[in-house]
Amino acid sequence: MFKGITKRWMLNTLSVILTIIILIVVSLIFVVTYLFQSSVEQSLSTTGSELSLVFSDYTSESSATFTASARDYVENFSNKEQMEVMVINSSGRVVMTSTGFLPSDKNDIKDFEDAQRSVEGLAFWNGKLSSGEKVMCMTRTITNGKGVVVGAIRYMVSMEPVNSRIALLSGMIIGIGAIIIVLIVLSGITFLRSIVKPIRNLSVIASQIAQGDFSASEKIEHKYDDEIGDLCDAISDMAKDLRTTEQTKNDFISRVSHELRTPLTAIKGWAETMQLSGNSKLDRKTFDKGMDVIIKESSRLTGMVEELLDFSRIQSGRMTLSNEKLDILAEFDETVYMLKERAVKEGKHLLYDEPEGVYPAVYGDRNRLKQVFINILDNALKYTPEGGVVTAQAIYSENKSDIVKIVVTDTGCGIPAEDLPKVKEKFYKANQTVRGSGIGLAVADEIMNLHNGSLHIESGEGVGTKVTLTFPIYKDGIEKPMPENIKL
């Protein structure tokens, strides 16, 4: 029944609380006992103080004279109902009592002996009589003018009523302590259940989510807006994100499978065509067309595989860069030149005017940066319709900042506002009608991050897209980090 958090609470917190309450109860019982006994002692002391007045002029050495004086005191004693008064002679024997009955000789009068030895001539005794009754006694000795003890007066009070009151109050204190303990245990268990039960439910639901049942998150309920409620909301949001990611991943696998199948089908088809021709001669035009398709689709297939491998390396942190000092404009110019022929074939305009002057060098991996340029320009051409324009430019202002920008703008279909924040996420693809795996932009963004640069996208649906690549310059042999708060 009790395990986990409940068991730890029982062993740790509850044990400390029980110890504290027990100590408080014991202390209170001790205080009550002390106060009642002190009250009885005080009452005896107050009553005994009368003797200093009654026997103040006592000078006789005769025991008979003392007995007569003591008899007058006992007969006139006004508090006989609360306590018993005894007259003790000089030899320690009780010769008279206020009740008229002499005590048994079995009862030792230790307080008389203690009073004789006491400087004040006073002593208390708390104990049991031979009858078993608990009493408290006080004995005060009487001395004559020469300081000789001629006798003593002893007051005795039964402690049975006092002990009954002490027992009653002690029982009440123990009962209150027990009630407090029960209330603490009940409230603690109730509170722990309000924590443990939701956590156990969350554990079951999390296990179901881990097995792929994302609909289990719909069973999550919470009554309070506290940390448990926040945890429930977090797991619910996590399940929704996982469901979205799982769906995106499945779409990605389906999309990549389709993208891989297309070039493989083309390659296989033309290869079978050439094989079936056997020794018969194909006309040169058909042969060249087949080889061109095979080479083109093989390159496309290789590019997709390399893109997937790069993505895998980035995800596992295994991507390494061969950094060196390089001319960023030369690399970008070469990439533009590579894609100009394609733009012409597709009836699109790729415009780029190499800027005048000398641009500072950057520090990076030549091949990886060229991969970024190809991806950005390829996307611009891919989403730009026939007759559209793709413009590329490089920007650097020596007086304003220590960064180099490369900006690529197209007049394509643009990206919807709801898709724009997600286009750099893995597996995400805003436009499903255009070929591509959907991870090229995520790879390009990671490569820019590895170069301490940035990839920023602005777009309007039906207007076009603007991509800005920002690179920190290489200065004094040290790669300068990207300045903060740079406006892209």
Side-chain angles (χ1 to χ4, degrees):
M1 179 179 177
F2 298 110
K3 58 182 180 180
I5 296 175
T6 306
K7 183 179 179 181
R8 291 204 304 271
W9 179 79
M10 295 286 287
L11 292 176
N12 299 329
T13 307
L14 186 58
S15 61
V16 173
I17 294 173
L18 286 175
T19 302
I20 293 173
I21 292 176
I22 290 172
L23 288 174
I24 292 173
V25 168
V26 171
S27 300
L28 287 175
I29 292 174
F30 176 80
V31 169
V32 168
T33 303
Y34 174 77
L35 289 175
F36 272 88
Q37 290 183 349
S38 297
S39 176
V40 175
E41 288 183 6
Q42 183 66 33
S43 178
L44 291 172
S45 297
T46 301
T47 304
S49 63
E50 299 174 354
L51 296 178
S52 60
L53 299 175
V54 175
F55 295 94
S56 60
D57 298 328
Y58 186 76
T59 56
S60 175
E61 296 182 10
S62 170
S63 59
T65 305
F66 165 72
T67 302
S69 299
R71 178 179 287 108
D72 290 337
Y73 173 72
V74 170
E75 289 177 352
N76 295 316
F77 185 67
S78 60
N79 206 13
K80 294 179 182 179
E81 294 182 0
Q82 281 75 33
M83 60 184 70
E84 181 180 358
V85 183
M86 301 178 184
V87 178
I88 304 174
N89 62 20
S90 59
S91 60
R93 184 176 180 180
V94 178
V95 295
M96 185 186 305
T97 68
S98 59
T99 60
F101 298 97
L102 296 179
S104 172
D105 293 336
K106 296 180 181 179
N107 294 324
D108 295 329
I109 309 178
K110 296 180 180 179
D111 45 312
F112 174 70
E113 298 173 1
D114 294 337
Q116 285 180 309
R117 292 191 293 267
S118 172
V119 177
E120 299 176 351
L122 177 69
F124 287 90
W125 178 75
N126 194 351
K128 285 184 180 182
L129 299 177
S130 59
S131 62
E133 181 183 7
K134 292 181 179 180
V135 296
M136 180 180 288
C137 301
M138 185 199 75
T139 299
R140 184 181 288 275
T141 58
I142 306 298
T143 58
N144 59 18
K146 296 181 180 180
V148 177
V149 175
V150 295
I153 301 297
R154 189 190 196 202
Y155 302 93
M156 184 171 67
V157 176
S158 174
M159 293 299 290
E160 297 295 336
V162 175
N163 289 339
S164 297
R165 293 179 185 176
I166 292 174
L168 177 62
L169 287 176
S170 298
M172 292 175 63
I173 293 171
I174 293 172
I176 292 171
I179 292 172
I180 292 173
I181 291 173
V182 170
L183 291 176
I184 290 174
V185 171
L186 291 177
S187 64
I189 292 176
T190 303
F191 174 70
L192 286 173
R193 282 180 178 173
S194 70
I195 295 175
V196 173
K197 188 177 179 180
I199 290 178
R200 285 177 180 168
N201 291 337
L202 286 177
S203 178
V204 173
I205 292 172
S207 177
Q208 293 173 349
I209 292 173
Q211 295 173 5
D213 183 11
F214 301 114
S215 61
S217 62
E218 298 173 0
K219 303 175 186 176
I220 296 177
E221 297 179 357
H222 60 88
K223 297 181 180 179
Y224 309 104
D225 293 328
D226 52 12
E227 288 79 0
I228 299 296
D230 293 340
L231 179 60
C232 292
D233 292 338
I235 292 180
S236 182
D237 293 339
M238 179 196 71
K240 292 177 183 177
D241 292 340
L242 286 174
R243 179 187 295 175
T244 302
T245 303
E246 183 72 13
Q247 183 61 43
T248 306
K249 184 188 72 172
N250 293 336
D251 293 342
F252 167 76
I253 293 173
S254 176
R255 186 169 58 249
V256 168
S257 299
H258 176 74
E259 291 290 335
L260 291 173
R261 189 183 297 113
T262 301
L264 287 172
T265 301
I267 293 170
K268 181 181 178 182
W270 277 101
E272 288 176 347
T273 299
M274 292 178 179
Q275 186 182 42
L276 290 174
S277 299
N279 296 326
S280 61
K281 294 183 179 180
L282 289 173
D283 61 278
R284 187 66 190 179
K285 185 178 179 180
T286 304
F287 179 81
D288 289 342
K289 182 180 179 181
M291 291 303 296
D292 183 60
V293 170
I294 291 174
I295 292 171
K296 181 181 177 181
E297 295 301 324
S298 296
S299 299
R300 180 181 166 193
L301 189 61
T302 301
M304 281 192 289
V305 172
E306 285 297 327
E307 202 173 60
L308 290 170
L309 290 174
D310 286 341
F311 181 76
S312 175
R313 293 188 192 102
I314 290 173
Q315 289 296 104
S316 60
R318 293 183 291 108
M319 176 171 277
T320 56
L321 301 178
S322 300
N323 290 332
E324 59 180 316
K325 182 181 177 181
L326 53 88
D327 183 352
I328 195 71
L329 288 187
E331 303 303 324
F332 186 64
D333 182 69
E334 184 178 333
T335 306
V336 172
Y337 180 77
M338 286 171 52
L339 294 173
K340 272 208 169 187
E341 185 178 350
R342 169 189 161 184
V344 172
K345 286 182 179 180
E346 294 178 358
K348 303 168 186 177
H349 304 284
L350 178 56
L351 306 179
Y352 173 65
D353 292 329
E354 187 173 349
E356 297 179 358
V358 179
Y359 271 45
V362 300
Y363 190 69
D365 187 315
R366 187 185 307 271
N367 294 326
R368 293 299 179 187
L369 291 179
K370 190 174 290 185
Q371 180 180 346
V372 174
F373 297 150
I374 291 173
N375 182 276
I376 299 304
L377 288 170
D378 176 72
N379 279 344
L381 290 171
K382 188 163 53 178
Y383 291 100
T384 299
E386 187 176 349
V389 179
V390 176
T391 305
Q393 62 179 135
I395 303 172
Y396 172 70
S397 177
E398 186 174 0
N399 298 327
K400 292 184 179 180
S401 66
D402 290 337
I403 58 173
V404 176
K405 294 181 183 178
I406 290 177
V407 182
V408 177
T409 307
D410 64 60
T411 58
C413 60
I415 304 171
E418 62 271 17
D419 293 324
L420 189 58
K422 305 176 184 177
V423 291
K424 292 192 288 184
E425 294 179 3
K426 59 183 180 180
F427 309 139
Y428 193 83
K429 189 176 181 182
N431 193 331
Q432 303 292 337
T433 62
V434 181
R435 63 177 177 81
S437 63
I439 61 172
L441 207 54
V443 172
D445 184 57
E446 288 293 338
I447 291 174
M448 290 301 297
N449 290 335
L450 290 173
H451 283 83
N452 294 325
S454 68
L455 188 157
H456 182 71
I457 303 175
E458 300 174 43
S459 185
E461 192 171 5
V463 178
T465 302
K466 176 183 176 182
V467 179
T468 303
L469 303 175
T470 305
F471 303 88
I473 67 170
Y474 182 86
K475 190 175 182 181
D476 298 329
I478 301 175
E479 180 190 5
K480 296 199 72 174
M482 182 178 174
E484 294 182 0
N485 302 322
I486 292 296
K487 255 193 173 181
L488 301 175

